[in-house]
Amino acid sequence: MAKGGKKTSLKAALASQQTRLKKKQDVAHAAQHADRMKASAQAKSKGKAPMRPTIPFSATDNILLIGEGNFSYARALALHPPQALEFLPASNITATAYDTEEECYAKYPEAREIVSELRSKGVEVLFHVDATKLEKCHALKGRTFDRIVWNFPHAGKGITDQDRNILSNQVLILGFLRSAAPFLATGPVPVIHKARKRKRDPDDDGSEDEGVEDEGADSVDTSRKGRGTILITLRNVPPYTLWDVPKLAKSPPPPTSAGQPSNPKYTLLRSFVFHRQVWKGYEHRMTKGERAHGQGKTGEGGEDRTWEFCLQG
């Protein structure tokens, strides 16, 4: 009985949050669309130069990649990195997948060659790693990381009802944030250097989020080691915006039973556009059915956006 009540309480809390967010976003998206059209026309007339993509790593970071799919992002990071990461040792990267090795190669045939190449360069590749139960992975025990990265997380349950789909993914994100916390390096809160503000890009979104800056307008102080951060990337359009990842991280629902630990609380440091073209050869792979082969249509339009968090306190 207690178990059923726990699920009901969590569902009710998240459902209430969804309803408030939907109403807020309906108004916000209409206003944003009008603003973008106006700003786009102004930018074209002024010949505005493209902004510099944000690279959220340094060459000394220890990096844990979650839910890698076909490992093309790990390959881009380790073998074809942006110039700023030219001297990042491949051995500083641990790339994980939820699937077993056999399942991964059956689902993504190209992954076999990619994994072989990664391992030959010194990247640690781990299979059958559950993002919500990282403590169960023997190879990760006792380790901490400067960056823990999950690009395009999805529960992959194929739920057609949108509210249930949102709930399943919010539960996934909460589980990940709880599981990842002990694996973050400790230290002072990372210092974000704010450059002089530029006019917001017409394609920029999330104007109400803390830490959202113009693309390329801020940087992290790498002169000292700060506490580790979590980076989550999603499409910045419905239904993904309805997951409300920043709110889940900053103000997670309270425990629904006496024995359940509280979810850790995070601070949103910044968010920025994720430019896929920066990561050479990266191919986002979805998780279910035809979506696993890149044919899914959900979330078209808009942009990819990364949110970066560190633990509060």
Side-chain angles (χ1 to χ4, degrees):
M1 180 67 71
K3 187 174 181 180
K6 171 183 171 182
K7 289 183 178 178
T8 301
S9 298
L10 177 59
K11 182 176 181 180
L14 292 174
S16 176
Q17 180 178 311
Q18 288 173 30
T19 300
R20 293 193 301 272
L21 181 64
K22 283 179 184 178
K23 292 179 179 178
K24 182 179 177 182
Q25 288 193 333
D26 285 343
V27 175
H29 280 304
Q32 287 167 3
H33 178 71
D35 290 343
R36 286 174 185 162
M37 295 299 291
K38 180 179 179 180
S40 180
Q42 291 174 343
K44 288 178 181 178
S45 66
K46 293 179 181 179
K48 185 178 179 180
M51 295 184 182
R52 176 172 53 85
T54 297
I55 308 299
F57 310 111
S58 75
T60 60
D61 284 343
N62 286 306
I63 302 169
L64 175 62
L65 305 179
I66 301 295
E68 266 298 276
N70 70 351
F71 291 92
S72 60
Y73 183 76
R75 177 181 59 187
L77 180 61
L79 278 60
H80 310 290
Q83 187 175 3
L85 302 178
E86 181 180 357
F87 298 107
L88 172 68
S91 58
N92 280 25
I93 302 170
T94 297
T96 72
Y98 177 76
D99 297 313
T100 65
E101 191 161 359
E102 295 74 17
E103 289 169 343
C104 178
Y105 298 156
K107 189 181 293 184
Y108 317 109
E110 71 277 13
R112 185 183 299 273
E113 181 178 347
I114 296 175
V115 168
S116 176
E117 192 174 9
L118 289 172
R119 284 174 166 163
S120 71
K121 296 296 184 180
V123 175
E124 181 179 28
V125 178
L126 304 174
F127 291 93
H128 208 202
V129 178
D130 187 337
T132 67
K133 299 176 182 177
L134 295 176
E135 69 280 0
K136 301 292 185 182
C137 179
H138 180 74
L140 297 179
K141 288 186 182 297
R143 298 168 61 184
T144 58
F145 298 88
D146 300 300
R147 306 286 176 263
I148 300 180
V149 182
W150 198 356
N151 292 324
F152 305 102
H154 199 283
K157 294 183 178 180
I159 300 173
T160 55
D161 179 77
Q162 179 168 280
D163 288 342
R164 290 177 55 223
N165 195 315
I166 292 168
L167 175 62
S168 70
N169 283 289
Q170 288 180 317
V171 170
L172 175 72
I173 296 297
L174 285 169
F176 166 60
L177 292 172
R178 181 172 55 248
S179 178
F183 295 93
L184 290 168
T186 58
V189 174
V191 176
I192 305 294
H193 291 303
K194 308 284 187 182
R196 186 173 61 183
K197 283 197 173 184
R198 298 173 62 179
K199 187 172 181 179
R200 190 174 291 273
D201 190 280
D203 291 329
D204 196 12
D205 199 358
S207 58
E208 296 184 4
D209 287 341
E210 303 170 25
V212 176
E213 290 295 325
D214 296 328
E215 189 66 7
D218 58 15
S219 61
V220 177
D221 183 358
T222 58
S223 63
R224 62 173 186 167
K225 278 285 186 181
R227 67 184 60 176
T229 65
I230 285 178
L231 297 109
I232 297 175
T233 299
L234 287 169
R235 296 293 290 163
N236 199 32
V237 294
Y240 308 107
T241 48
L242 297 176
W243 300 4
D244 203 6
V245 170
K247 179 72 174 292
L248 292 178
K250 294 185 290 184
S251 303
T256 54
S257 65
Q260 182 185 10
S262 299
N263 238 73
K265 293 184 178 182
Y266 289 83
T267 295
L268 176 60
L269 295 173
R270 59 178 174 172
S271 87
F272 49 88
V273 176
F274 177 90
H275 292 279
R276 300 190 193 201
Q277 68 272 20
V278 169
W279 307 102
K280 184 177 178 181
Y282 173 55
E283 301 170 320
H284 171 45
R285 288 289 186 263
M286 294 185 176
T287 54
K288 192 173 183 67
E290 67 172 9
R291 295 163 60 85
H293 304 288
Q295 303 301 314
K297 299 298 183 183
T298 304
E300 288 189 335
E303 65 184 11
D304 299 329
R305 179 164 286 272
T306 300
W307 285 265
E308 184 171 13
F309 306 93
C310 74
L311 286 167
Q312 293 182 13

